[in-house]
Amino acid sequence: MSGGNTAAGQELPRHIAIIMDGNGRWAKKRGLPRSVGHKAGAETLRRIQAYCHKIGIRYLTGYAFSTENWKRSQEEVNAIMALFRHYLLEAIESLERDHVRLHFFGDMGPISPELLELVHRTDDISAHLPEDYFHANVCLNYGGRDEIVRAARKFAADCAAGRRRPEDLDEGLFANLLDTAGTPDPDLFIRPGGELRLSNFLLWQSAYAEFYFTDTLWPDFTTEEIDRAIDAYRNRERRFGGAK
């Protein structure tokens, strides 16, 4: 792996987060329906998950469908949900064999009952697998602001019920109310597709992540590209607000 360069003394990132951007543009460039781009992007996710597992990354979180993506055409949304169904059915058969724990982050309320049942099945399987397995996280109907609001509501409800006091709240307690509770914050945040923004992804958790942007569209994202991102990460000095 080209990520062997450790000039700044960094180890491999423990947790990589990726915005899987550019599926639609990839398809448009080829004169294909957007659904074909999403299918190609799903294959890229499988490939990158397998590679991250192989090289020793412990956590990989992919931004697959945001709270804003419902605004897209019904045809496109249906195609994306069909891909999720296929992905979940494959995962149910392979998680234990491949030593992978699969988790979903986001508001599951609007998800169809069929998909939700498959999500629960993967949750049940993952809960019985060893903690040291590779953690694959998928953000489905997820938005960073929405996640923070839902966490604040949980804390407010606890206060109203007398289980908590406002002065109990600190960063650690609040983090445990988020969808990602129990998952370490991302060390490396990757955005393919040429855009230079967070797009409402892991807003709380990415406070001290290292960012890597590339013009490569997600369906074209290769293992060599992730090696380059890891190289960039390993050559940075992380101070977390402290002095050198």
Side-chain angles (χ1 to χ4, degrees):
M1 183 183 74
S2 66
N5 182 356
T6 56
Q10 288 286 358
E11 299 297 329
L12 280 172
R14 185 182 186 196
H15 181 181
I16 295 177
I18 302 180
I19 295 180
M20 301 183 291
D21 190 24
N23 295 337
R25 283 175 285 155
W26 182 91
K28 184 177 180 181
K29 283 173 63 176
R30 290 160 176 78
L32 299 170
R34 290 176 64 88
S35 59
V36 176
H38 292 303
K39 185 175 181 180
E43 292 302 320
T44 299
L45 175 59
R46 291 185 183 91
R47 185 172 63 252
I48 295 302
Q49 280 182 344
Y51 183 68
C52 285
H53 188 188
K54 175 184 175 182
I55 65 175
I57 305 299
R58 288 293 314 283
Y59 298 82
L60 179 70
T61 301
Y63 199 8
F65 191 85
S66 78
T67 49
E68 291 80 26
N69 287 157
W70 297 105
K71 300 172 186 175
R72 298 184 178 186
S73 72
Q74 192 61 52
E75 180 183 8
E76 183 173 354
V77 170
N78 289 344
I80 293 171
M81 293 302 158
L83 285 170
F84 276 127
R85 179 180 180 278
H86 183 68
Y87 176 80
L88 284 162
L89 289 170
E90 283 190 346
I92 287 167
E93 298 298 322
S94 64
L95 291 177
E96 188 168 7
R97 180 193 69 212
D98 294 342
H99 293 192
V100 173
R101 298 184 68 172
L102 178 62
H103 304 277
F104 284 85
F105 302 148
D107 178 6
M108 296 294 112
I111 303 302
S112 73
E114 180 189 17
L115 270 185
L116 196 56
E117 194 272 333
L118 293 174
V119 168
H120 290 328
R121 285 172 66 185
T122 60
D123 285 342
D124 289 343
I125 294 169
S126 297
H128 292 92
L129 297 177
E131 178 63 30
D132 62 357
Y133 278 11
F134 176 72
H135 292 248
N137 307 312
V138 177
C139 291
L140 174 59
N141 193 39
Y142 174 88
R145 288 182 173 181
D146 177 72
E147 178 189 31
I148 291 169
V149 168
R150 286 186 284 108
R153 286 174 177 164
K154 290 177 194 174
F155 183 72
D158 283 344
C159 288
R163 293 186 294 268
R164 294 283 187 185
R165 299 172 301 166
E167 56 268 30
D168 293 338
L169 188 62
D170 58 20
E171 289 187 11
L173 174 56
F174 193 76
N176 282 326
L177 296 170
L178 297 170
D179 297 343
T180 54
T183 300
D185 290 343
D187 302 296
L188 174 59
F189 185 116
I190 300 173
R191 176 149 195 173
E195 303 292 354
L196 304 177
R197 55 176 177 266
L198 299 183
S199 292
N200 205 15
F201 182 45
L202 299 179
L203 299 181
W204 174 279
Q205 299 88 340
S206 297
Y208 283 101
E210 297 295 327
F211 288 83
Y212 179 86
F213 297 98
T214 173
D215 290 336
T216 302
L217 301 176
W218 175 244
D220 291 328
F221 197 85
T222 62
T223 56
E224 290 79 14
E225 188 77 58
I226 205 158
D227 280 347
R228 285 191 284 272
I230 291 172
D231 277 342
Y233 167 83
R234 296 175 85 169
N235 283 281
R236 297 178 190 178
E237 184 176 28
R238 306 186 75 200
R239 298 192 297 274
F240 299 95
K244 183 175 179 181

